[in-house]
Amino acid sequence: MAVSFLTHELSELCLGKPPLKSISTSATVVDAIEVLRSSNESFVSVWNCDNSEFGRCECVGKICMVDVIVFLCKEENLLCPSSALKTPISHVLPKVYGLVVHLEHSSSLLEAINLILQGAQNLVVPILQTKRGGTLRRKQQQKSSSINSHNGAEFCWLTQEDVIRFLLSSIGHFTPLPARSIDTLDIISSDVLAIDYYSPASSAVKAISKSLAQQTSVAIVDSDGTFVGDLMAYIDCGGPPEDLVRLVKTRLREKNLEKLLQEFTILTSSAGDVSASSSSDEESPARSLTRSGKYARSPSYSARYVRKAEAIVCHPKSSLIAVMIQAIAHRVNYLWVIEDDCSLVGIVTFSNILKVFREHLETI
């Protein structure tokens, strides 16, 4: 039964998904920042299009705000930030092949899982047109500047989270696998990215860049290996501290970068608004860890998926289904695994989980 379940077409997972927000490879870093600020998605897709009559459009990657930050933190860009902001976004794209893969809407769920296990993070799937009165009608009329249209076609993308959600909706097909603990399933990875709590922030830039490519995160640990927190959660916590914002504004004024100062002011004020809306969200009962090492209740994501700077954690004896539900509830694709004394055991990712489901099929 599980084998036939995985023959479902990807069009079933695409139902209700909005067209991709996108930018061209020739767009600048500033353009990417503007699109990310106006979007409810964490990432924006980057496209290379031949605009001739029969030209082809291809999604060649994706960009998030952290990619932009890592790019701007490079030494040469810190020396001239105004020039860095005018750089084509193609220079910011991660140099990792196969992170984004095109598939047809008739492709199977099994094919999607196999590609994810090979390293794909996002699957680009065309949005089906709907029939009305015997003719094909576009699902949405395109705007004049049409940021979502690619030679007359619209696309959505499927993530690892989408696939995990779909599997969870029919988890009974895989009994008794979901009830087993993650340690007995051997899906806890001990190969994690980690930095010491007292390390300078600049030392984390390379680890952050690598974590984006791997769709994981960077653990913050103290000298005895105790898990302190999740660095990416701190980055996504809704905006930088006010004292840091004031410092950056002062430095920009000193360098007479007034236009950049205006952009930075708008950006940080927008982040503050998002943070405020996030703090008022309804709390979720899922398990999280504050920096003190005690468990607390973590708020759910806002419309822009902003959360407090708390790590989402589980125990080695947690069941597979509990881990899946917890990750989806918090809109993360990994969970840190810690012991009762808060020592770090490792990490469980959606990729690890999908590998278990794929291997389970071979035993049926």
Side-chain angles (χ1 to χ4, degrees), residues 5-156:
F5 173 76
L6 292 181
T7 62
H8 281 275
E9 293 186 358
L10 295 185
S11 57
E12 297 180 50
L13 280 73
C14 292
L15 293 175
K17 276 190 161 288
L20 279 177
K21 285 284 188 180
S22 60
I23 55 175
S24 167
T25 51
S26 61
T28 65
V29 173
V30 168
D31 295 330
I33 292 173
E34 288 298 322
V35 175
L36 285 165
R37 283 176 52 204
S38 63
S39 173
N40 287 334
E41 299 294 330
S42 301
F43 291 86
V44 60
S45 58
V46 182
W47 290 72
N48 185 18
C49 288
D50 177 359
N51 294 319
S52 62
E53 183 178 358
F54 300 104
R56 183 186 179 194
C57 270
E58 181 184 12
C59 180
V60 295
K62 59 179 187 175
I63 291 292
C64 70
M65 195 64 81
V66 181
D67 287 315
V68 173
I69 293 171
V70 170
F71 174 75
L72 294 177
C73 283
K74 292 182 177 180
E75 186 175 352
E76 62 271 24
N77 294 331
L78 289 173
L79 295 174
C80 190
S82 57
S83 296
L85 289 169
K86 297 175 185 177
T87 303
I89 202 64
S90 56
H91 293 190
V92 186
L93 280 175
K95 303 300 186 289
V96 180
Y97 176 77
L99 294 183
V100 175
V101 178
H102 280 258
L103 281 178
E104 293 299 322
H105 60 77
S106 57
S107 300
S108 70
L109 180 60
L110 183 59
E111 185 177 353
I113 291 176
N114 287 339
L115 283 170
I116 289 173
L117 293 179
Q118 293 169 19
Q121 294 182 3
N122 292 77
L123 307 175
V124 181
V125 183
I127 294 178
L128 282 174
Q129 297 174 327
T130 57
K131 285 188 176 181
R132 178 172 292 182
T135 59
L136 285 175
R137 188 180 73 87
R138 294 298 303 274
K139 296 184 70 176
Q140 291 183 340
Q141 286 295 108
Q142 297 300 313
K143 298 180 180 179
S144 57
S145 59
S146 189
I147 197 170
N148 299 321
S149 177
H150 308 285
N151 286 355
E154 288 179 331
F155 297 82
C156 68

Side-chain angles (χ1 to χ4, degrees), residues 12 164 234 278 361:
E12 297 180 50
I164 291 292
Y234 280 85
S278 174
L361 292 177

